[in-house]
Amino acid sequence: MASVKYDYAEMIWYEIKEAAEQDRVALLPVATYEDHGPHLPVDVDVVLTTEICRRAAVRIPDEVVLVPPVGHGYSPHHMDFHGTITIRWIRSSIMLKMSVAAWRIMDLSGY
């Protein structure tokens, strides 16, 4: 028996179409690149949030598709620190609505 693919990045376009037709939920990691002091890299939120979502998807691959993370958000309060990536709040909201428009979305915020 073939295993069910759950990783969007590893799927072919028609597999994505089939997953959407199966009404699988798009599991969307949402985090940002920002400072966390001198002891952690700027990608820690993205890495941890994506891994949590990946571990969930492994357990229920026939119910979800792990889509690529949204790796930037609204972080103006971190702009005094080098490495932070931020976008305007309105763009962040619109982007999430448009990201996976054909799917039911469950986003996991790693902020």
Side-chain angles (χ1 to χ4, degrees):
M1 183 169 139
S3 63
V4 176
K5 285 187 181 178
Y6 64 86
D7 191 331
Y8 184 93
E10 296 177 358
M11 296 172 128
I12 301 167
W13 73 268
Y14 59 83
E15 293 171 324
I16 295 168
K17 179 179 182 289
E18 290 169 1
E21 289 169 349
Q22 294 165 358
D23 203 29
R24 289 164 62 188
V25 174
L27 194 51
L28 176 64
V30 180
T32 192
Y33 293 90
E34 60 191 21
D35 77 285
H36 290 90
H39 62 294
L40 291 172
V42 295
D43 72 343
V44 69
D45 290 342
V46 176
V47 170
L48 293 177
T49 305
T50 302
E51 182 61 16
I52 290 166
C53 289
R54 188 195 65 76
R55 289 182 185 199
V58 166
R59 290 175 167 253
I60 53 170
D62 55 337
E63 297 179 35
V64 300
V65 173
L66 174 62
V67 297
V70 172
H72 45 273
Y74 185 64
S75 300
H77 52 289
H78 287 270
M79 291 309 291
D80 289 341
F81 303 93
H82 294 287
T84 298
I85 299 173
T86 191
I87 59 176
R88 291 184 180 153
W89 177 249
I90 189 71
R91 288 192 182 146
S92 178
S93 299
I94 290 170
M95 183 179 59
L96 282 177
K97 290 176 186 168
M98 293 175 57
S99 293
V100 199
W103 299 68
R104 292 182 300 139
I105 301 171
M106 178 182 166
D107 66 89
L108 177 66
S109 174
Y111 296 109

